[in-house]
Amino acid sequence: MELSIDQTRAMLVAMCDAIIENVDVLTKADQAIGDGDHGVGMRRGFKAAKEAIEAAEPGSVGELFKAGGSAVIATSGGASGIIFGLFLRAPAKQLSGQTLDAAGYASWLTAAATQIQARGNAKPGDKTMVDAIVPAAEAAQAAVGDGLLAVAEAGAAGAHRGKDATVEMIASFGKAKALGERAKGHPDPGALSTTILLDAARDYVKEQS
Amino acid sequence: MELSIDQTRAMLVAMCDAIIENVDVLTKADQAIGDGDHGVGMRRGFKAAKEAIEAAEPGSVGELFKAGGSAVIATSGGASGIIFGLFLRAPAKQLSGQTLDAAGYASWLTAAATQIQARGNAKPGDKTMVDAIVPAAEAAQAAVGDGLLAVAEAGAAGAHRGKDATVEMIASFGKAKALGERAKGHPDPGALSTTILLDAARDYVKEQS
Amino acid sequence: MAKVKKIINETENIVSEVLDGYVAASMGKLRRTADRVLVRSEIEPGKVGLVIGGGSGHEPVYTSYVGKGMADASVAGNIFAAPAPQFVTAAIKAVDQGKGVLLVYGNYAGDVLNFDMGAEDATDDTGVEVRTVLVADDCATPDLATRRGIGGGFYQVKIAGAACAEAQSLEEAEAAVNKCRQNLRTLGVAVAAGSLPETGEPTFTLGDDEIEIGLGAHGEVGVERAKLMPADVLTKKMIDHLVADLPYQAGDRVALLFNNLGATTQMELMIVARKAFELLGEMGIEVARCDIGAFFCSQEMAGFSISLLKLDDQLEHLLNAPCESITFSQG
Amino acid sequence: MAKVKKIINETENIVSEVLDGYVAASMGKLRRTADRVLVRSEIEPGKVGLVIGGGSGHEPVYTSYVGKGMADASVAGNIFAAPAPQFVTAAIKAVDQGKGVLLVYGNYAGDVLNFDMGAEDATDDTGVEVRTVLVADDCATPDLATRRGIGGGFYQVKIAGAACAEAQSLEEAEAAVNKCRQNLRTLGVAVAAGSLPETGEPTFTLGDDEIEIGLGAHGEVGVERAKLMPADVLTKKMIDHLVADLPYQAGDRVALLFNNLGATTQMELMIVARKAFELLGEMGIEVARCDIGAFFCSQEMAGFSISLLKLDDQLEHLLNAPCESITFSQG
Ligand SMILES: Nc1ncnc2c1ncn2[C@@H]1O[C@H](COP(=O)(O)OP(=O)(O)O)[C@@H](O)[C@H]1O
Ligand SMILES: Nc1ncnc2c1ncn2[C@@H]1O[C@H](COP(=O)(O)OP(=O)(O)O)[C@@H](O)[C@H]1O
Ligand SMILES: [Mg+2]
Ligand SMILES: [Mg+2]
Ligand SMILES: [Mg+2]
Ligand SMILES: [Mg+2]
């Protein structure tokens, strides 16, 4: 199974909608261990991404990812603007074809994990969204042989495992860092966003299957 | 009947004590139509006056009044520092003898009423302590023939009539002025202080009678 | 409501410690005398003296505006209370260089009584000539003679400082400052009360969604109590009231002052400034100078005032003349 | 608790209207470009460029410190959020005079990510050379590399402004500002929370009698949560912590900055200043310059910070060099 350009567009729009709908969940998560603006910033970014994705006239699947990611970067602000902008924009060059298949989906998550770590300098264990995107990418790669739906499911499941693991971590990055031990007991807000995005993508792929 | 220098000292000290004890009453009165500092300012001034009066080695009754009045002026601050300093200091020159008699008591209040109006420019009806000191002085002068106690009683009663009359006035002076009609229903704080001072003086004279 | 927390030591030492703070921060340029007087360590011989002052709690006004090109001394009362006259007397004597001394302070009954008596005592003692120009810029109330002195006092002190530095005579300085007074109007708005440091109690009360236009610096009632409104609507109300009062007219050149009463953010002041410039521009009133900051506070009151000063060449020159003080300097 | 009242229009227009306010108040000296960039109308040809910026809501920092001898442009994010990279790119391009551009902003993850990307994009587009010196003065946390940028940022911006005005090369300016960063330490104390203008909600909570030493500008936790204490005790704690951190030593010359986080009264700052001067004097540390005011706020947060900057001849010269901006000028 593969997604066409228009199906990919619909998948990306569903991901944007999921963020927009979950703004309060994200606000609460960031209030617990950060400064409370993650929800508002993500909504700002993914609203703009949705518009850009809907308006795009892409020559490849990757150009849709690029339009969305660039919009997040340009409008979201804060740490998460760059991080979640890269989450979408990272695979833009690789996905130069007209469809998104299992290998493409997995390469998206891998590119995101790589570029986000390269730019943000957070490593697994620092209690950031890196703890969700890295296991998501690994699980997705391992499932490539099983087709697109399996990859999407593995990605979402990997993100959830990573997000759950952040609950017991103390933060080494961002505004939760100064909390030290007090950050324990709460998941990282960005890891939570990662699960919301990959859940929405998986749900869309499932519908189309 | 006359008061000796030491009796006059005791009378003045009793007046200071009465202000110190009534600080909360005066605070509330000024909170209602002013800025709430009348009690604190009067206490500061009359505490200093009490010390000055107790420490004074006066050559005349008037020098006791002067010591007290100067202390109020030097420590009280605000409008009431000058006004109630003059209240004590005004008769200093006239009271050049060794005793305070009926005529002397009445001339004290008259000098106070005159000097306070001259310096402060408030007229009767402006809702200030002038509305209490003017009728107090007039009533005291009218009672001079009846002896010191009668003068002291007439002075206190005159001040009360004046203070009661301020309840229905709108203010033309000080911080209550801007209140306009809203100042109605509350007595003027300085008029209230005037009654407290003249009640204490009358009570002392009565005790000695 | 919980008491407002203040970083202080014993409340009875507040004024004294604040004055010591100014002396320390002046690094030798200021000294204290007569307990409540802050005075320049070196005053130019033969200059017209300038003494300012009033109740404490409004810092930086008036206490901190002492220095070259500003006042020669300031007199500090207790919090929100006029200073006693002997401090005024001491300040006048400390700055007198034989050319007389100008007094500039806010038009409040208590201040007038104490400054007048202090000035008379100084004149009785040394013969020094003293003149007074009250700050009475608050156009919230109609009667000119009894108007209160609020945020525009900063401009009046600045101009008085320059006038006394340059003037050949007390009369000349007085005339310049009087012209400033005539051309100066201020209107304030209170959004939330400050508190008395002695008690932590608020100085007045406003509803959760209320503001008061024209409320005085100590909580005296103003022009209109209103519901919280958009910044642009409020700014228009204030500018219209101010402009009509003098009135300021098309072709006038003005200085424009936005004064933070304490806890208002600069963000809010800039939003208001933006609209004020737009409105004055529409009226043909030219802004020649603009100042934004906390010049005349009322503890941590939230709110601000807008002042307009109509300029002529002399006032503009005096306003732009160099000066130094702990909280305001210009080159 | 009731929502904090703010004098604003639509919340989504706050940043834009604030920038318009600065442009209006600059009277021609500043203009807006690329939506979120405030830039000098005239930049000296051939000078090293200086761009500053960060989240809004801390005015006057960083947005307002643009002008001759200060920054050439500032970039404003949303309230408490780093600005997006395209604004950084636009600012760099707007100020570049062929000598390269220095970036100075606070060490927050979001700012670093966005400024870095913005700078790379500018370099990709035009080849402009860009260097960064982060503001990282908050010694509430131990790890040097991740320290936050707070009140001392004013000194770093001032020095960067003078350095970029005078330097022959980007490297020379960068080196001077780096020296400032190395010698600069700040410690803050929060007394009461500010509020988010979008919601009127407080940015953090403190007990009715609590303060927090070292609390960050957005409510990040600090060194110690304590009961309200006398000003002198608090000042000693703060000065001891600051002095030990660099450490500053007997014989050092320093600049000393008292920064109002928003709603603290100048009265309190002066009481603290008095004690700080006394303590530094006892330690043999010489204060060569002192600044007191609201330079780096966090909305109407009550509290303040104390900064120490160890001076050498170069830093003292740069700190005292003339500059102009809407909220800070010196002759
Ligand atoms: N360097 C980084 N690398 C990866 N993720 C990061 C990094 N810094 C922050 N994040 C993510 O961003 C989230 C916080 O986003 P947000 O609240 O929008 O930004 P801010 O911290 O600027 O307020 C964190 O929960 C974390 O997952
Ligand atoms: N010009 C004046 N003449 C007479 N009494 C005055 C005058 N001004 C004020 N007062 C008196 O002073 C009182 C207020 O005193 P106080 O509260 O101590 O001073 P302030 O008004 O400066 O806060 C008023 O109630 C009034 O009686
Ligand atoms: Mg956040
Ligand atoms: Mg009063
Ligand atoms: Mg008073
Ligand atoms: Mg943030």
Side-chain angles (χ1 to χ4, degrees):
Chain A
M1 186 203 163
E2 302 175 339
L3 299 186
S4 68
I5 283 196
D6 276 337
Q7 285 175 312
T8 306
R9 191 196 306 266
M11 178 190 80
L12 289 168
V13 167
M15 291 164 65
C16 297
D17 284 336
I19 290 294
I20 295 166
E21 281 156 24
N22 280 288
V23 56
D24 291 340
V25 177
L26 297 176
T27 298
K28 288 213 182 80
D30 197 32
Q31 277 170 344
I33 60 166
D35 59 353
D37 61 357
H38 186 59
V40 177
M42 289 292 279
R43 179 176 54 193
R44 193 165 48 230
F46 282 85
K47 258 193 176 169
K50 182 177 171 180
E51 282 169 29
I53 291 162
E54 284 174 337
E57 299 178 5
S60 69
V61 168
E63 285 174 22
L64 275 176
F65 279 83
K66 179 162 186 181
S70 299
V72 171
I73 290 173
T75 56
S76 196
S80 55
I82 301 285
I83 299 297
F84 286 92
L86 288 177
F87 181 99
L88 293 185
R89 207 175 71 172
K93 282 194 189 135
Q94 282 134 273
L95 301 177
S96 55
Q98 304 293 308
T99 58
L100 185 69
D101 62 9
Y105 194 111
S107 76
W108 157 31
L109 300 188
T110 302
T114 309
Q115 288 191 30
I116 287 169
Q117 288 181 83
R119 185 164 283 281
N121 290 318
K123 295 173 304 297
D126 286 343
K127 193 168 182 135
T128 69
M129 64 79 73
V130 167
D131 291 305
I133 189 70
V134 166
E138 286 169 2
Q141 290 294 358
V144 167
D146 304 327
L148 179 60
L149 177 57
V151 167
E153 284 178 334
H160 274 278
R161 278 197 308 280
K163 181 261 291 174
D164 292 343
T166 65
V167 173
E168 286 311 302
M169 295 175 185
I170 62 171
S172 338
F173 259 80
K175 282 163 189 154
K177 183 179 184 301
L179 274 177
E181 289 286 327
R182 291 199 245 168
K184 280 197 184 174
H186 302 278
D188 173 65
L192 194 58
S193 288
T194 308
T195 62
I196 290 168
L197 288 162
L198 294 185
D199 283 353
R202 177 208 55 211
D203 291 348
Y204 180 82
V205 173
K206 204 167 190 171
E207 267 171 39
Q208 304 300 311
S209 301
Chain B
M1 186 201 161
E2 302 175 339
L3 300 185
S4 69
I5 282 196
D6 275 338
Q7 286 176 310
T8 306
R9 192 198 304 270
M11 179 189 80
L12 290 167
V13 167
M15 290 164 65
C16 296
D17 284 336
I19 289 294
I20 295 166
E21 282 156 24
N22 280 288
V23 55
D24 291 338
V25 178
L26 298 176
T27 299
K28 289 215 181 79
D30 197 32
Q31 277 170 342
I33 61 166
D35 59 354
D37 62 356
H38 187 60
V40 177
M42 290 291 280
R43 178 173 60 191
R44 192 164 50 229
F46 281 87
K47 259 192 176 170
K50 182 178 172 180
E51 282 169 29
I53 291 162
E54 284 172 338
E57 299 178 3
S60 68
V61 168
E63 286 176 21
L64 277 175
F65 278 83
K66 178 161 188 182
S70 299
V72 171
I73 289 172
T75 56
S76 198
S80 54
I82 301 285
I83 299 296
F84 287 92
L86 288 178
F87 180 98
L88 293 183
R89 207 175 74 172
K93 283 195 187 131
Q94 280 135 274
L95 299 177
S96 56
Q98 303 294 308
T99 58
L100 184 69
D101 61 9
Y105 195 112
S107 77
W108 158 31
L109 300 188
T110 301
T114 308
Q115 288 191 31
I116 287 169
Q117 288 181 82
R119 186 165 281 281
N121 290 318
K123 296 172 305 298
D126 285 344
K127 193 167 183 136
T128 71
M129 62 80 72
V130 167
D131 290 305
I133 189 69
V134 165
E138 285 169 2
Q141 290 296 357
V144 167
D146 304 328
L148 179 59
L149 178 57
V151 168
E153 285 179 331
H160 274 278
R161 276 198 308 280
K163 182 262 291 175
D164 292 342
T166 65
V167 172
E168 287 310 304
M169 295 175 185
I170 62 169
S172 340
F173 259 80
K175 284 165 188 153
K177 181 177 185 302
L179 274 177
E181 290 285 327
R182 292 200 244 169
K184 280 196 186 176
H186 302 277
D188 174 64
L192 194 58
S193 288
T194 307
T195 63
I196 290 168
L197 288 162
L198 294 185
D199 283 351
R202 177 206 56 210
D203 290 347
Y204 180 81
V205 172
K206 202 166 194 173
E207 266 172 39
Q208 304 299 310
S209 302
Chain C
M1 223 187 87
K3 290 194 173 181
V4 175
K5 291 174 258 181
K6 299 251 166 154
I7 304 296
I8 53 177
N9 296 300
E10 296 300 320
T11 52
E12 58 267 37
N13 298 335
I14 289 175
V15 176
S16 178
E17 292 182 356
V18 168
L19 293 174
D20 283 344
Y22 284 122
V23 170
S26 82
M27 304 169 67
K29 290 190 177 158
L30 303 178
R31 60 187 179 83
R32 280 181 72 180
T33 185
D35 192 29
R36 291 303 182 87
V37 177
L38 197 64
V39 58
R40 295 173 65 202
S41 304
E42 282 176 45
I43 301 177
E44 298 77 12
K47 88 178 276 289
V48 174
L50 175 62
V51 171
I52 60 176
S56 292
H58 301 291
E59 295 79 17
V61 120
Y62 285 93
T63 317
S64 91
Y65 294 130
V66 184
K68 198 173 159 73
M70 295 286 265
D72 298 302
S74 63
V75 192
N78 289 310
I79 307 279
F80 295 167
Q86 74 276 16
F87 304 130
V88 176
T89 306
I92 291 170
K93 289 182 183 174
V95 309
D96 179 27
Q97 306 285 313
K99 280 271 179 61
V101 175
L102 188 69
L103 304 183
V104 172
Y105 59 89
N107 186 22
Y108 294 91
D111 291 282
V112 173
L113 286 166
N114 283 279
F115 274 85
D116 276 357
M117 187 180 279
E120 287 163 26
D121 289 352
T123 303
D124 284 354
D125 285 0
T126 69
V128 55
E129 192 179 356
V130 182
R131 300 279 175 93
T132 298
V133 185
L134 297 171
V135 180
D137 55 326
D138 183 1
C139 63
T141 56
D143 178 18
L144 273 185
T146 59
R147 283 185 169 179
R148 310 171 292 218
I150 57 171
F154 168 67
Y155 274 167
Q156 193 162 321
V157 166
K158 172 65 193 75
I159 280 177
C164 290
E166 293 184 5
Q168 298 303 312
S169 69
L170 181 57
E171 291 67 30
E172 197 186 315
E174 182 193 17
V177 184
N178 243 324
K179 185 161 62 178
C180 170
R181 175 182 168 171
Q182 305 305 331
N183 287 304
L184 181 64
R185 294 293 185 275
T186 301
L187 189 65
V189 61
V191 172
S195 63
L196 288 173
E198 292 94 341
T199 59
E201 301 288 338
T203 45
F204 57 88
T205 48
L206 274 174
D208 282 350
D209 60 347
E210 277 182 342
I211 60 174
E212 185 156 338
I213 300 173
L215 196 88
H218 314 87
E220 306 92 339
V221 289
V223 178
E224 178 188 353
R225 189 161 286 211
K227 296 281 169 208
L228 189 61
M229 60 187 86
D232 285 2
V233 177
L234 175 63
T235 307
K236 178 151 173 31
K237 265 182 193 278
M238 293 174 75
I239 291 286
D240 283 348
H241 185 112
L242 276 164
V243 167
D245 194 88
L246 189 69
Y248 299 88
Q249 288 166 322
D252 284 352
R253 273 170 76 77
V254 298
L256 174 60
L257 172 66
F258 298 91
N259 173 55
N260 188 341
L261 285 166
T264 289
T265 57
Q266 193 176 104
M267 182 188 90
E268 291 161 273
L269 295 184
M270 297 321 298
I271 292 172
V272 168
R274 171 195 126 274
K275 186 67 184 178
F277 268 90
E278 179 190 314
L279 293 167
L280 291 170
E282 286 167 11
M283 294 174 184
I285 296 169
E286 184 194 350
V287 180
R289 174 183 168 126
C290 173
D291 294 86
I292 299 172
F295 300 97
F296 190 138
C297 297
S298 191
Q299 293 292 304
E300 72 287 4
M301 190 195 285
F304 62 89
S305 63
I306 307 178
S307 301
L308 285 175
L309 171 61
K310 182 172 156 179
L311 298 171
D312 61 9
D313 289 348
Q314 183 191 22
L315 291 179
E316 189 163 358
H317 163 75
L318 294 171
L319 195 53
N320 291 335
C323 70
E324 282 177 15
S325 73
I326 307 248
T327 54
F328 186 83
S329 300
Q330 68 189 16
Chain D
M1 223 186 85
K3 290 196 172 180
V4 175
K5 291 173 258 182
K6 299 249 166 156
I7 303 296
I8 53 178
N9 297 302
E10 296 300 320
T11 53
E12 59 266 36
N13 298 336
I14 289 175
V15 175
S16 177
E17 291 182 356
V18 168
L19 293 174
D20 283 343
Y22 284 122
V23 170
S26 81
M27 302 166 68
K29 290 188 176 158
L30 303 178
R31 62 186 177 86
R32 281 181 73 181
T33 184
D35 191 29
R36 290 304 181 86
V37 177
L38 197 63
V39 58
R40 295 174 64 202
S41 304
E42 283 177 43
I43 301 177
E44 298 77 11
K47 89 177 277 288
V48 174
L50 175 61
V51 170
I52 60 176
S56 292
H58 301 290
E59 296 78 18
V61 120
Y62 285 91
T63 318
S64 91
Y65 294 131
V66 183
K68 197 173 158 73
M70 296 286 265
D72 298 303
S74 62
V75 192
N78 289 309
I79 307 280
F80 295 168
Q86 74 275 17
F87 304 130
V88 176
T89 306
I92 292 170
K93 290 183 184 173
V95 308
D96 178 28
Q97 306 285 315
K99 280 273 179 58
V101 175
L102 188 69
L103 303 184
V104 173
Y105 60 89
N107 186 20
Y108 295 90
D111 292 283
V112 174
L113 287 166
N114 284 280
F115 275 86
D116 276 357
M117 186 179 280
E120 287 162 27
D121 289 351
T123 304
D124 284 354
D125 284 359
T126 69
V128 56
E129 193 180 355
V130 182
R131 300 281 174 91
T132 298
V133 185
L134 295 171
V135 180
D137 57 324
D138 184 1
C139 63
T141 56
D143 177 18
L144 274 184
T146 59
R147 284 186 167 177
R148 309 172 290 221
I150 56 169
F154 169 66
Y155 274 168
Q156 193 162 320
V157 166
K158 173 64 191 76
I159 279 176
C164 290
E166 293 184 5
Q168 297 303 311
S169 69
L170 180 58
E171 292 67 31
E172 198 186 315
E174 182 192 18
V177 183
N178 244 323
K179 185 160 63 178
C180 170
R181 174 182 168 172
Q182 305 304 331
N183 287 303
L184 181 64
R185 295 293 185 275
T186 301
L187 189 64
V189 61
V191 172
S195 63
L196 288 173
E198 292 94 343
T199 60
E201 300 289 337
T203 46
F204 56 89
T205 48
L206 275 173
D208 283 350
D209 59 347
E210 278 183 342
I211 61 175
E212 185 155 339
I213 300 173
L215 196 90
H218 316 85
E220 306 92 339
V221 290
V223 178
E224 178 189 351
R225 189 162 285 212
K227 296 278 168 209
L228 190 62
M229 60 187 86
D232 285 3
V233 177
L234 175 63
T235 307
K236 180 152 174 28
K237 265 183 193 278
M238 293 173 75
I239 291 287
D240 284 349
H241 185 111
L242 275 165
V243 167
D245 194 87
L246 189 68
Y248 299 88
Q249 289 167 322
D252 284 353
R253 276 169 75 75
V254 298
L256 175 59
L257 172 67
F258 298 92
N259 174 55
N260 189 342
L261 284 166
T264 289
T265 58
Q266 193 175 102
M267 183 188 91
E268 291 161 272
L269 294 183
M270 298 320 298
I271 291 172
V272 168
R274 170 195 129 275
K275 186 69 184 176
F277 268 91
E278 181 191 314
L279 293 167
L280 292 170
E282 285 167 13
M283 295 173 182
I285 296 169
E286 184 194 348
V287 180
R289 173 183 169 125
C290 173
D291 295 86
I292 299 171
F295 300 97
F296 191 138
C297 297
S298 191
Q299 292 293 303
E300 71 287 5
M301 190 195 286
F304 61 90
S305 63
I306 307 180
S307 301
L308 285 175
L309 171 62
K310 182 171 156 179
L311 297 172
D312 61 8
D313 289 347
Q314 185 192 20
L315 291 178
E316 189 164 357
H317 162 75
L318 294 172
L319 195 53
N320 292 334
C323 70
E324 282 176 17
S325 72
I326 306 251
T327 56
F328 186 83
S329 300
Q330 66 189 17

